[in-house]
Each structure stands twice: as C-alpha cells, then as structure tokens.
Amino acid sequence: MLTLIGLLPIFILTVTVVLCDTALKEALPLWSYFLVALAIFFYQTLDAVDGKQARRTGSSSPLGQLFDHGCDAITTMLISLLLMQGLMVGAEPNF
C-alpha cells in the first residue's frame, strides 16, 4: 500500500506534464519542477520504508515483492519521461 501511495503523485504529475507539453519542447513553470522533485522524494522515501513495514507487521510475501518491483519499473519509466520534459528533448537544437 505504501508503494502505491508513493506512485500516485508521480503518475498524476506525469499525466499533467504530458498534457501541458505533449511535444516535450516547452519550459513549464518553475513550481512544477519543484513538485516533481518533491514527488520523487516522497516515492523514494515510501519505497524505502515499505519493505521494513511489511517485515515488521509480518505481511511480506513474494507477491508484495513483485508488486514493489513492478511499481519501481513503472516509476523509472515515468521519471524518465519527466526528465526528458525537463531537458526539453523535443526542442530544436540551437547551434
């Protein structure tokens, strides 16, 4: 549950950023980048805590580990997309 709670803000921000800039070539407001950084920090914190919490409560399972690694894979893809928008990879190079 902790992993899923951490994944939701990153997913919502990624959808918002992609809807605001579909071509990945425009700069977004500065506050949006701070929100992305905060969401990544929030996810990493909850991802680090969820395994310890599952072991403490005795609710760890192979399915939980698979879910955690699946959420990590999804988050890696979403963070990569956010990074590409931050670097504006769709913009024409200014040589």
Side-chain angles (χ1 to χ4, degrees):
M1 190 57 133
L2 291 175
T3 304
L4 188 60
I5 290 170
L7 178 65
L8 288 177
I10 291 180
F11 181 76
I12 292 168
L13 281 172
T14 303
V15 168
T16 304
V17 164
V18 169
L19 288 176
C20 290
D21 181 22
T22 57
L24 302 176
K25 60 182 176 180
E26 297 177 16
L28 296 178
L30 189 60
W31 57 266
S32 65
Y33 297 117
F34 284 116
L35 279 178
V36 168
L38 187 66
I40 291 171
F41 177 76
F42 183 67
Y43 176 78
Q44 289 176 339
T45 302
L46 288 180
D47 189 41
V49 170
D50 67 350
K52 290 182 182 182
Q53 178 67 17
R55 285 188 293 277
R56 185 179 319 149
T57 59
S59 60
S60 62
S61 68
L63 181 61
Q65 284 184 338
L66 180 65
F67 182 75
D68 182 53
H69 294 307
C71 286
D72 289 343
I74 291 169
T75 303
T76 301
M77 179 200 56
L78 295 176
I79 290 174
S80 298
L81 186 61
L82 290 169
L83 179 66
M84 287 188 286
Q85 196 289 322
L87 295 173
M88 293 181 279
V89 296
E92 295 292 325
N94 295 329
F95 295 124

